[in-house]
Amino acid sequence: MKLKSVFMLALVAGFMFSCDEEKKAQTEEVAMVEEQEEFDYNVEQFADIKILRYQIPGWENLTLKEQKLVYYLTQAGLSGRDIIWDQNYRHNLKIRKALEQIYSNYNGDKSTEDWKAFETYVKRVWFSNGIHHHYSNDKMKPGFSSEYLKQLLADTDATLEGEAFDVLFNDKDSKKVNQAKGVDNVGLSAVNFYGPNVSNADVASYYKAKQSPNPEKPLSYGLNSKLVKENGELKELTYKSGGLYGEAIDEIIKWLEKAKDVAENKKQADALGLLIQYYKTGDLQTWDDYNEAWTAATDGNIDYINSFIEVYNDPLGYRGSYETIVQIKDFDMSQKMEVLSKNAQWFEDNSPLMDEHKKENVVGVTYKVVNVAGEAGDASPSTPIGVNLPNANWIRAAVGSKSVSLGNIINAYNNAGTTGRLKEFVNDEEELELEEKYGQVADKLHTALHEVIGHASGQLNPGVGETKETLKNYASTLEEGRADLVGLYYLYSPKLQELGLVDDWKSVGKAAYDGYIRNGLMTQLIRLNLGDDVEEAHMRNRQWVSAWAYEKGKADNVIEKVTRDGKTYFNINDYEKLHDLFGQLLRETQRIKSEGDYQAVEDLVEGYGVKVDQAIHSEVLERNKQFTSPPYSGFVNPVLVPEFDKNGELYRVKVTQPDSFDGQMLDYSKNFGFLPEEN
């Protein structure tokens, strides 16, 4: 599970589900920090996107063997880049090839508004790994005509025709992931996880017939396949060597085998061996074996995430999107935050959950602050800020989980932001001062509590199925909201000061509560068009948590809606009571998950998390017009350059920064474009 940067920096004014999986937008409510050395974090901005860069602290302190390991793992990750493009939409690779040929070869007039619109559109497509917006899931509209595109194609000898051309300008496949209530979500979602004519009912019946060999350890059916209908029969096309995406997977395997040869220890090598075997066979039991081995491999300085993991892009929550993150341990920050994982049982025992929903023994919870060395797939260019894996509930209960906070990514966000939006939407100077003084600490702790304690907490009732089966299309937003609530509940607790994590727990808690409510009820709306419903899982959970607390606290005026000079603000009058309300909602969300109560989660999400107050939305958009900084951010990756001696031996890996966003995107397509245009 992942925590998206949108949440973190919206509070800052943050943490994630695969938490691997949110992506990852921000509202720029960031209290600025002083950077010790000069580094330009900003690359460029276009449309609603800001492109940043990040550093890899401590690279020079790694041994040659460790540098090789990082290099091989990043190459493995990039080798699967085409997969996420094809998963996101069936025509994406064909469209990308045509757009890139035009972009690279057009020699006509580049001063026109049409060409500028074309450049912007190409960059938006690169950023989203396809033609649908990375966060809203809406199909992005070109700012130029079909006639202009036809002329560009002709001028550059590029080809794009038929449905792949028409879809750029018509209303078909308008939503990558459709989470609306009461519709055929599979049929109305453009994501390429299902073949034509496959419906919600088909998916439900197909997987209902699947029985895991050991019901206590349910396999992740559907995670690594596409479900299609051939001659009226449902059939899975498995992602594996020799199967679907086999050309790219073979390249991934090649680099993983090199990584295995330079693994830091036997446990790490064994886990890599199982991942290689999984890619070769597509066997889901091997996937579980790998996750157990990977979770237990906690020694060493280097770690990674690689494969089909987060299920946010599947409207029914079965299929995993390809992603990879390669990470280097931040020793200092990891040591400081280790206290959370060591006290995981205390947090579980003292939570407001019903006793039967608490874990008697919280096992194997590890938390590290890491520095990212490279990302690909669904983690790039829009990246998470925190990750907690594996996602299987039974592995979490039996073996444990790994939680990481992406320290250098968070640092880059903090150093590239501005405080303008924050000042516009805070209610008063006290709220502003709290945010500026304690916002970043609150944000980091919320991320940690969300990932380490939140996703590891609670248990399902005996006999209750996995949440993707019981809570269906509401599973992701329920889990993200539940983990948020764990973090919110403990952010306003003296335990944090007792553990030495903060100096003033009340001020930190207040800053966290202010930021969460401000974002959930107002500032995140800058990412929606007026009239749109909230559909992205993380945005939904922030709204239903905030709106529920606002409504339930009305009688005691816990959160007050303030109107001043024609502007709306939300002011927290009673932090103690809001803490209690968060505890009540946490108790209820865990009950819903533990019991598999679909009606309750539908009522919660549809009642509080989908519809938007149109008057407030219109006001927020109008107030936001004064700011030029885009609402979303993402990253180019540092470039790892291998250097060889006269005997062809790799003796050093140098870190350089890419010159531009478009340059890196074109380079990736050239060097890692392993899949055919149609799969």
Side-chain angles (χ1 to χ4, degrees):
M1 299 171 185
K2 26 174 122 149
L3 188 63
K4 298 202 170 177
S5 64
V6 66
F7 168 55
M8 163 183 178
L9 291 165
L11 284 182
V12 179
F15 218 160
M16 303 173 38
F17 182 100
S18 13
C19 250
D20 167 87
E21 292 247 342
E22 162 150 63
K23 260 177 201 161
K24 310 146 188 167
Q26 82 183 65
T27 61
E28 300 294 335
E29 296 185 13
V30 184
M32 298 298 291
V33 298
E34 185 176 344
E35 180 65 6
Q36 293 182 347
E37 60 181 76
E38 296 248 348
F39 181 78
D40 187 2
Y41 291 92
N42 294 286
V43 178
E44 69 168 306
Q45 64 182 57
F46 50 86
D48 57 354
I49 303 297
K50 181 195 292 185
I51 302 296
L52 307 176
R53 57 171 62 92
Y54 61 91
Q55 297 172 291
I56 310 178
W59 177 261
E60 65 281 358
N61 297 325
L62 297 181
T63 66
L64 175 58
K65 186 178 180 182
E66 289 170 334
Q67 289 186 359
K68 286 182 178 180
L69 177 59
V70 172
Y71 174 67
Y72 295 148
L73 288 170
T74 56
Q75 294 299 107
L78 288 167
S79 295
R81 176 178 181 254
D82 275 359
I83 295 174
I84 189 63
W85 281 77
D86 192 75
Q87 286 183 315
N88 281 344
Y89 184 56
R90 63 188 179 277
H91 294 310
N92 271 340
L93 289 174
K94 182 180 291 186
I95 292 168
R96 188 187 77 192
K97 180 179 179 180
L99 296 181
E100 289 180 344
Q101 185 165 337
I102 295 170
Y103 192 90
S104 300
N105 296 288
Y106 181 64
N107 294 317
D109 187 354
K110 295 185 178 182
S111 65
T112 68
E113 291 303 313
D114 277 339
W115 176 256
K116 292 176 183 178
F118 175 79
E119 284 186 315
T120 297
Y121 181 71
V122 175
K123 291 176 182 179
R124 296 184 76 194
V125 171
W126 278 329
F127 189 86
S128 294
N129 296 314
I131 66 171
H132 296 87
H133 194 276
H134 74 286
Y135 210 80
S136 72
N137 289 315
D138 291 329
K139 186 171 63 175
M140 297 178 291
K141 297 178 180 179
F144 50 87
S145 68
S146 60
E147 289 74 21
Y148 182 70
L149 180 56
K150 287 178 182 178
Q151 186 60 53
L152 292 178
L153 290 166
D155 290 345
T156 56
D157 292 324
T159 302
L160 186 66
E161 53 193 10
E163 186 179 54
F165 179 94
D166 295 339
V167 75
L168 301 183
F169 301 97
N170 62 28
D171 295 328
K172 291 184 178 179
D173 297 329
S174 60
K175 181 79 71 173
K176 183 175 78 173
V177 185
N178 190 315
Q179 293 281 17
K181 176 184 176 182
V183 301
D184 182 13
N185 305 99
V186 169
L188 292 177
S189 296
V191 69
N192 194 25
F193 286 144
Y194 300 95
N197 304 316
V198 176
S199 66
N200 284 17
D202 288 329
V203 178
S205 63
Y206 184 83
Y207 289 108
K208 186 176 182 180
K210 296 279 187 181
Q211 298 295 323
S212 296
N214 182 352
E216 299 292 316
K217 299 179 178 182
L219 298 176
S220 300
Y221 287 119
L223 185 70
N224 65 333
S225 67
K226 179 178 179 179
L227 187 64
V228 300
K229 189 176 286 187
E230 294 183 357
N231 300 318
E233 297 292 324
L234 291 168
K235 173 185 176 181
E236 285 184 316
L237 304 179
T238 303
Y239 310 151
K240 65 176 183 176
S241 176
L244 190 56
Y245 303 142
E247 300 94 334
I249 288 173
D250 286 341
E251 291 292 325
I252 296 171
I253 291 171
K254 178 185 77 176
W255 289 105
L256 289 178
E257 287 175 336
K258 290 178 180 289
K260 181 174 179 289
D261 289 341
V262 293
E264 297 176 276
N265 50 64
K266 185 178 185 301
K267 284 188 175 181
Q268 190 181 69
D270 289 346
L272 283 166
L274 285 167
L275 180 58
I276 291 167
Q277 187 65 19
Y278 170 62
Y279 272 128
K280 288 180 176 179
T281 65
D283 180 67
L284 290 172
Q285 182 58 61
T286 303
W287 171 246
D288 282 351
D289 294 342
Y290 160 71
N291 275 286
E292 289 191 75
W294 175 82
T295 303
T298 56
D299 295 331
N301 300 331
I302 314 301
D303 209 345
Y304 63 93
I305 294 160
N306 183 302
S307 199
F308 311 103
I309 300 174
E310 300 299 344
V311 297
Y312 302 115
N313 286 328
D314 182 345
L316 299 186
Y318 282 90
R319 307 190 131 67
S321 295
Y322 175 79
E323 71 172 305
T324 104
I325 303 174
V326 182
Q327 56 212 32
I328 303 166
K329 184 177 180 180
D330 182 325
F331 296 96
D332 180 53
M333 285 304 300
S334 293
Q335 187 175 16
K336 289 179 180 177
M337 301 301 287
E338 190 177 22
V339 65
L340 281 179
S341 53
K342 287 184 175 179
N343 285 272
Q345 191 64 57
W346 184 93
F347 287 107
E348 184 78 354
D349 294 343
N350 289 275
S351 73
L353 307 185
M354 300 178 190
D355 288 342
E356 59 268 31
H357 298 157
K358 295 180 181 180
K359 289 179 180 175
E360 292 186 9
N361 295 293
V362 180
V363 300
V365 177
T366 65
Y367 177 63
K368 295 178 181 179
V369 178
V370 301
N371 291 315
V372 172
E375 299 177 311
D378 205 35
S380 179
S382 179
T383 172
I385 55 171
V387 181
N388 178 272
L389 292 171
N391 284 331
N393 286 304
W394 74 264
I395 296 179
R396 290 175 182 272
V399 182
S401 62
K402 287 181 179 179
S403 293
V404 296
S405 176
L406 309 186
N408 58 338
I409 296 294
I410 294 171
N411 182 65
Y413 274 130
N414 288 340
N415 281 283
T418 62
T419 59
R421 285 194 182 94
L422 175 63
K423 292 176 181 177
E424 173 63 32
F425 289 100
V426 295
N427 178 55
D428 52 31
E429 284 299 316
E430 180 184 0
E431 185 177 336
L432 177 62
E433 289 173 8
L434 279 171
E435 175 56 44
E436 291 182 329
K437 187 172 182 179
Y438 299 103
Q440 288 195 33
V441 173
D443 202 43
K444 289 178 180 179
L445 279 173
H446 196 199
T447 299
L449 288 164
H450 174 116
E451 297 294 348
V452 182
I453 308 302
H455 285 306
S457 71
Q459 62 183 1
L460 301 179
N461 287 359
V464 173
E466 292 292 298
T467 53
K468 67 184 178 185
E469 299 164 353
T470 59
L471 305 184
K472 302 176 183 177
N473 52 311
Y474 300 113
S476 292
T477 191
L478 191 282
E479 177 60 19
E480 287 308 310
R482 191 187 68 85
D484 268 4
L485 285 162
V486 171
L488 290 167
Y489 185 76
Y490 283 118
L491 274 167
Y492 197 75
S493 167
K495 184 67 175 180
L496 297 184
Q497 195 158 333
E498 178 188 322
L499 294 175
L501 293 169
V502 298
D503 295 326
D504 182 348
W505 67 268
K506 280 196 173 183
S507 294
V508 170
K510 287 179 179 180
Y513 283 17
D514 288 342
Y516 197 92
I517 295 300
R518 185 172 61 246
N519 187 45
L521 295 180
M522 292 194 72
T523 55
Q524 72 169 359
L525 297 178
I526 68 172
R527 297 188 292 274
L528 294 179
N529 295 318
L530 189 61
D532 286 354
D533 288 343
V534 181
E535 295 203 43
E536 198 277 332
H538 298 80
M539 284 187 70
R540 278 187 170 188
N541 89 246
R542 289 189 291 272
Q543 178 167 299
W544 60 253
V545 168
S546 301
W548 186 95
Y550 172 64
E551 180 181 288
K552 299 303 180 183
K554 272 187 175 179
D556 296 321
N557 202 28
V558 176
I559 303 171
E560 181 182 3
K561 182 180 178 182
V562 178
T563 302
R564 184 172 61 250
D565 299 327
K567 296 181 178 181
T568 303
Y569 306 89
F570 287 91
N571 187 59
I572 300 173
N573 293 315
D574 195 326
Y575 292 93
E576 299 283 349
K577 287 186 178 178
L578 182 55
H579 173 260
D580 291 342
L581 287 170
F582 284 146
Q584 292 173 33
L585 186 55
L586 171 58
R587 181 184 178 96
E588 172 62 6
T589 55
Q590 183 61 57
R591 183 200 68 77
I592 291 171
K593 179 180 178 180
S594 296
E595 298 178 3
D597 190 340
Y598 180 81
Q599 187 60 57
V601 73
E602 182 181 65
D603 291 344
L604 177 64
V605 176
E606 295 292 339
Y608 296 96
V610 177
K611 297 299 179 182
V612 177
D613 183 314
Q614 294 301 301
I616 288 181
H617 192 186
S618 178
E619 176 194 325
V620 167
L621 293 177
E622 185 62 33
R623 290 165 68 181
N624 186 62
K625 286 180 179 178
Q626 63 187 293
F627 305 110
T628 59
S629 182
Y632 300 100
S633 295
F635 292 85
V636 289
N637 288 305
V639 181
L640 303 185
V641 182
E643 298 186 347
F644 301 89
D645 62 23
K646 61 182 180 181
N647 298 317
E649 292 294 322
L650 197 164
Y651 74 93
R652 183 174 68 175
V653 180
K654 187 168 72 172
V655 177
T656 65
Q657 291 290 338
D659 294 329
S660 63
F661 176 61
D662 60 352
Q664 182 158 91
M665 295 298 99
L666 291 169
D667 179 74
Y668 283 170
S669 293
K670 176 182 177 181
N671 294 311
F672 302 101
F674 297 117
L675 292 183
E677 294 176 11
E678 298 285 348
N679 295 278

